[in-house]
Amino acid sequence: MKSLPKPEDPPEYGQVATLLLHEVDRYPGGKYVVLYEGEGTIEYKYDARKDEAASRLGRDVIDVTPSSQGILLVITATDPNKTGNYIRNIHVVPSEYETTFKDEIFNPLFLERIKKFGAVRFMDWMVTTNSKQREWKDRPQVEDATYSPEGAPIEIMIELANRLRVHPWFNMPHQATDEYMRNFAQLVKERLDPNLKVYVEFSNEVWNWMFSQATYALEQGKARWGEDKGDAFMQWYGMRTAQMADIWKETFGDQRDRVIAVMGTQTAWLGLENSALDCSLWVAEGNKPCYQHNIDAYAITGYFDGSLTSDQHQKTVESWLETSDGGVSQALTQLKQGGILKNSQNPQETQPDGVLATIELFKYHQQVAQQRGLQLIVYEGGQHLVNSNSEKLTQFFIELNRRPEMYDLYTTVLDAWKQTGGGMFMNYTDITKPSKWGSWGVLEHVDQEHSPRYDALIDFIDKNGKPIYPTEAMCRFTWRLP
């Protein structure tokens, strides 16, 4: 934006603004500096007030009192002398980082919180779910004004992995061309610390019908093999995963052992994995089974919810809230082993649930992995307590996740995973604010030092070693105006 309309021009707009940290009520307050090039006027509203005495051309000082409103920056005048010296390259930085932010592009507190994890999965940073990326030329760039709509640039993700010396996990967009995958792999090979490995996965949960990649895979599979092929989505997913693995290994050449190609399944849908791993329809075209195409790891989830989130049990769980302890003891028992919530089709039936049910799934999928010579890993895991249609249960689940008993539940899952012979277990996720959409973050904000779930992960790492327990990165980057 190099100019604003003159007063006599058609009234399209008279100012340009951006809103920072909107609906984020736990960000640091205090003094910030706003650094910019050019001439003009920037005004500040909502959580920010300009310190006129401390400000000068190119460097405004603002006092910030955090709330859910955020910091509103409004450019009300730019290039007033019409010399082409318009306002540009705006940086909003906490004052203590003014001299270091150009070199240290990550929040030091964020680095501190995740430094012990052995790997970072960038699925959300890449906006993998419902991705529209296809061509290499359209990938996110470091110079982009914002990283929110399309995801973080590859260079930034590699830089984080190199800074922390953690193995990155990348998710290829479901519409990505072979050229996209090859160029992505080449850039990782060139820039990633040669001592690090790289995990690569095709899209994310291609069997999840909440996501557009599932529909896309079904359409592509049926177009290739016929409308009568009900498992075409998994067959096509298996084929593209195999092709992706071949591309990455070929690109890395004599460093191919650094690439760990991942193929996954829906954990509770037993047998579905065969369509992707064996991909009989592609084999009928003269190819080897998909899992034999440079696939290294077979991935499942490690979630547990004790059926507390099931619609059929909602009224029952809500009734627990009226008990003397607010339903906590019943919920924790159900999360640990089940036995309280009955099967609606057979009320007399008692089955393992919660953590115990998850452990049984570990055993099943370990057999699948061993039969095909693959390493079993978890691509996402942890508690899965979410109910978006009940305000009472939302708050109950949020408070349940904060309870000290969560430490033991997480430790039990991790110990069982280790005993089953599983490899890497990817926690979902590091830092996010709880809401009706879930309490995914083991920390709720970056300046939180401890929580039962986070402490369980860190203690397990300290006891068993760094590589076994990485995390999904959810702290998103901010933006800048060009």
Side-chain angles (χ1 to χ4, degrees), residues 1 13 27 101 103 109 118 131 160 167 200 225 241 289 319 387 404 445 449 466 477:
M1 191 275 297
Y13 57 90
Y27 69 91
F101 79 93
D103 296 319
L109 274 180
S131 174
L160 179 63
H167 308 300
V200 58
W225 295 302
T241 298
S319 71
N387 189 309
H445 42 83
E449 295 186 31
K466 190 173 182 178
F477 289 96

Side-chain angles (χ1 to χ4, degrees), residues 19 29 71 146 152 161 185 189 192 206 217 247 250 296 303 308 324 341 360 369 411 420 434 442 456 464-465:
L19 184 59
I71 301 172
T146 175
K189 179 184 178 183
L192 185 66
V206 177
I247 289 171
E250 178 185 348
D296 302 289
Y303 285 126
L308 297 177
S324 58
L341 296 174
E360 290 302 310
T411 301
T420 306
V442 291
N464 295 279

Side-chain angles (χ1 to χ4, degrees), residues 119 167-170 197-201 260 262 375 377 424:
H167 308 300
W169 179 322
F170 299 115
K197 294 183 181 294
V198 53
Y199 291 77
V200 58
E201 176 186 10
I260 301 172
V262 179
Q375 181 184 46
I377 64 177
M424 185 171 67

Side-chain angles (χ1 to χ4, degrees), residues 446-460:
V446 75
D447 56 343
Q448 182 181 3
E449 295 186 31
H450 296 281
S451 80
R453 290 181 291 150
Y454 178 78
D455 290 348
L457 305 186
I458 297 302
D459 288 350
F460 190 83

Side-chain angles (χ1 to χ4, degrees), residues 53-108:
S55 299
R56 63 176 187 270
L57 181 65
R59 182 184 183 274
D60 288 346
V61 178
I62 57 176
D63 292 308
V64 174
T65 303
S67 77
S68 60
Q69 289 185 303
I71 301 172
L72 182 65
L73 275 69
V74 185
I75 300 177
T76 57
T78 188
D79 190 18
N81 298 315
K82 306 304 178 188
T83 61
N85 194 21
Y86 57 91
I87 289 179
R88 60 198 182 277
N89 294 334
I90 302 173
H91 297 271
V92 183
V93 186
S95 59
E96 61 266 34
Y97 301 139
E98 181 177 2
T99 61
T100 60
F101 79 93
K102 288 185 178 180
D103 296 319
E104 182 52 86
I105 62 176
F106 304 106
N107 185 333

Side-chain angles (χ1 to χ4, degrees), residues 359-376:
I359 293 172
E360 290 302 310
L361 289 171
F362 290 165
K363 297 175 182 177
Y364 169 87
H365 288 290
Q366 183 62 275
Q367 292 181 343
V368 173
Q370 290 175 348
Q371 288 169 0
R372 293 171 174 82
L374 303 176
Q375 181 184 46
L376 182 66

Side-chain angles (χ1 to χ4, degrees), residues 252-434:
F252 268 69
D254 59 0
Q255 300 180 44
R256 61 192 294 117
D257 289 344
R258 293 177 61 200
V259 178
I260 301 172
V262 179
M263 180 179 288
T265 189
Q266 185 176 15
T267 309
W269 191 343
L270 306 186
L272 180 68
E273 70 277 358
N274 297 321
S275 295
L277 291 165
D278 301 330
C279 59
S280 59
L281 298 177
W282 198 44
V283 169
E285 296 178 6
N287 301 286
K288 294 185 297 183
C290 288
Y291 77 90
Q292 295 181 10
H293 284 258
N294 288 304
I295 303 300
D296 302 289
Y298 170 57
I300 62 173
T301 61
Y303 285 126
F304 61 93
D305 67 5
S307 299
L308 297 177
T309 63
S310 172
D311 290 342
Q312 66 172 306
H313 297 313
Q314 178 170 321
K315 291 184 178 179
T316 300
V317 178
E318 285 180 341
S319 71
W320 295 353
L321 307 184
E322 307 303 321
T323 61
S324 58
D325 70 349
V328 170
S329 59
Q330 291 166 298
L332 290 173
T333 298
Q334 183 67 24
L335 280 173
K336 183 177 181 180
Q337 63 192 32
I340 297 180
L341 296 174
K342 304 298 182 181
N343 188 320
S344 61
Q345 296 180 342
N346 184 2
Q348 303 306 315
E349 181 181 1
T350 300
Q351 294 180 327
D353 208 334
V355 168
L356 290 185
T358 300
I359 293 172
E360 290 302 310
L361 289 171
F362 290 165
K363 297 175 182 177
Y364 169 87
H365 288 290
Q366 183 62 275
Q367 292 181 343
V368 173
Q370 290 175 348
Q371 288 169 0
R372 293 171 174 82
L374 303 176
Q375 181 184 46
L376 182 66
I377 64 177
V378 161
Y379 71 89
E380 290 178 12
Q383 60 76 37
H384 200 286
L385 296 174
V386 55
N387 189 309
S388 60
N389 59 19
S390 170
E391 190 173 326
K392 290 190 295 185
L393 287 187
T394 289
Q395 194 56 43
F396 178 58
F397 291 157
I398 289 174
E399 294 302 327
L400 203 57
N401 268 296
R402 293 169 174 164
R403 291 194 60 85
E405 292 88 349
M406 276 292 177
Y407 181 100
D408 291 334
L409 291 174
Y410 267 57
T411 301
T412 299
V413 170
L414 295 175
D415 285 341
W417 173 253
K418 181 182 177 182
Q419 292 169 8
T420 306
M424 185 171 67
F425 190 113
M426 184 70 65
N427 166 63
Y428 189 84
T429 182
D430 55 6
I431 307 167
T432 52
K433 179 181 177 179

